[in-house]
Amino acid sequence: MSADLQSTPFSILDLAPIPDGRTARDAFHHSLDLAQLAEQHGYHRYWLAEHHNMTGIASAATSVLIGYLAAGTDRIRLGAGGVMLPNHAPLVIAEQFGTLESLYPGRIDLGLGRAPGTDPRTMQALRRHLNGDADGFPRDVEELQRYFAPAEANQAVQAVPGQGLQVPLWLLGSSLYSAQLAAALGLPFAFASHFAPDMLLQALSLYRQNFKPSEALAAPYAMVCVNVIAADSDRDARYLFTSQQQQFINLRRGRPGPLPAPVEDIETLAAPAELFGVDQALRLSIVGDSNKVRHGLQSLLRETQASEIMVNGQIFDHAARRRSFELIMALRQA
């Protein structure tokens, strides 16, 4: 089966970036504006990611922000890409997303990640009594599935709201672990190649070869998340991309902060070894004018046969960010 731009659904991952000099409130308003733009231009879904103790990312209270965006849109699917399940009791997440599904029926997704999405001390602050059980993630996923399934006879604990609402679950990953678990549970799978591309093709192959049909999903469904920065010229796109490059450099230096303004020459800000490491992490990013982005997306689809593409774009200027997502969808609709 071949995939092409016209037939492949496109979606957006929003990290709710806080640009340098702006606030979380600004980030929320920008996210709502971008979600409304995405709905207008035909994007399929719009996901927000849970991060904590990150002064450049505003989506820590992921379910609250999803509710804000859902209230300001009409049709587009909203969801978490993802909720970091080790940070939470499954019942609490079931109640939160059961509430969202009750308010906005048929529009809510719940993507689940296994990483904490933060540093060890913040993880301790999130779950003070975490027992350190590294193998607890599959058990937590199955517990969450039970809370969204119809209630069983004599079920002692129910998610209210949530029970019986069948909120769609996704597993997210940047390695082989979640690919295998998604295949075993018969769930859709999303790979985070926007920051960890190394195992992309291996994970997709493993997921498809080992997929077991379930009540949730009859056949494998794999989504690939990729950074795409589109602009009216290659030069403009490369300039905009330097904000994301700086963000990765700062994170690797242990100094995460607001999304930096773009610079003309990224090589003046980091040592060659730092730039090499960042380039490796971001090497699948597609950066350029419409023609270059078209070829990049077509190549990605040929290689991965992705069921869906999710686009991330950390761009400092909101107007330029809007323009990037408009150009991307224009390619799909051409």
Side-chain angles (χ1 to χ4, degrees), residues 75-78 100-109 168:
R75 302 176 307 279
I76 193 169
R77 296 193 66 87
L78 277 298
L100 288 168
E101 176 65 21
S102 297
L103 289 169
Y104 309 103
R107 296 181 58 202
I108 302 300
D109 298 323

Side-chain angles (χ1 to χ4, degrees), residues 139-261:
R139 184 175 61 247
D140 284 350
V141 173
E142 291 178 335
E143 181 180 346
L144 197 51
Q145 287 181 308
R146 289 194 296 272
Y147 288 136
F148 288 133
E152 298 176 357
N154 302 316
Q155 182 172 332
V157 179
Q158 297 188 31
V160 183
Q163 205 73 49
L165 294 184
Q166 305 287 12
V167 174
L169 298 184
W170 291 66
L171 293 192
L172 318 181
S174 56
S175 65
L176 305 183
Y177 181 94
S178 290
Q180 295 177 84
L181 184 59
L185 296 179
L187 294 174
F189 174 61
F191 192 89
S193 57
H194 60 299
F195 70 86
D198 289 351
M199 296 184 183
L200 170 61
L201 296 180
Q202 189 179 354
L204 294 179
S205 176
L206 193 66
Y207 169 65
R208 289 165 176 151
Q209 289 175 6
N210 294 282
F211 183 84
K212 297 179 180 178
S214 67
E215 291 184 11
L217 194 63
Y221 192 97
M223 179 160 64
V224 173
C225 186
V226 62
N227 301 308
V228 182
I229 308 292
D232 293 315
S233 72
D234 279 353
R235 183 185 181 281
D236 287 347
R238 288 194 301 270
Y239 173 71
L240 296 174
F241 187 50
T242 61
S243 291
Q244 192 160 359
Q245 290 172 305
Q246 290 178 80
Q247 190 175 51
F248 266 68
I249 290 168
N250 292 339
L251 184 62
R252 290 180 172 217
R253 289 174 175 174
R255 299 198 298 268
L259 184 66

Side-chain angles (χ1 to χ4, degrees), residues 103-151:
L103 289 169
Y104 309 103
R107 296 181 58 202
I108 302 300
D109 298 323
L110 176 50
L112 301 170
R114 180 171 171 252
T118 189
D119 59 88
R121 282 192 295 183
T122 306
M123 182 174 66
Q124 180 71 21
L126 284 163
R127 291 195 70 179
R128 293 172 185 268
H129 305 294
L130 190 65
N131 62 14
D133 181 2
D135 296 322
F137 182 67
R139 184 175 61 247
D140 284 350
V141 173
E142 291 178 335
E143 181 180 346
L144 197 51
Q145 287 181 308
R146 289 194 296 272
Y147 288 136
F148 288 133

Side-chain angles (χ1 to χ4, degrees), residues 252-270:
R252 290 180 172 217
R253 289 174 175 174
R255 299 198 298 268
L259 184 66
V263 294
E264 290 292 342
D265 187 359
I266 189 69
E267 294 184 2
T268 64
L269 299 180

Side-chain angles (χ1 to χ4, degrees), residues 63-75:
S63 61
V64 178
L65 188 51
I66 291 169
Y68 172 62
L69 301 189
T73 53
D74 297 314
R75 302 176 307 279

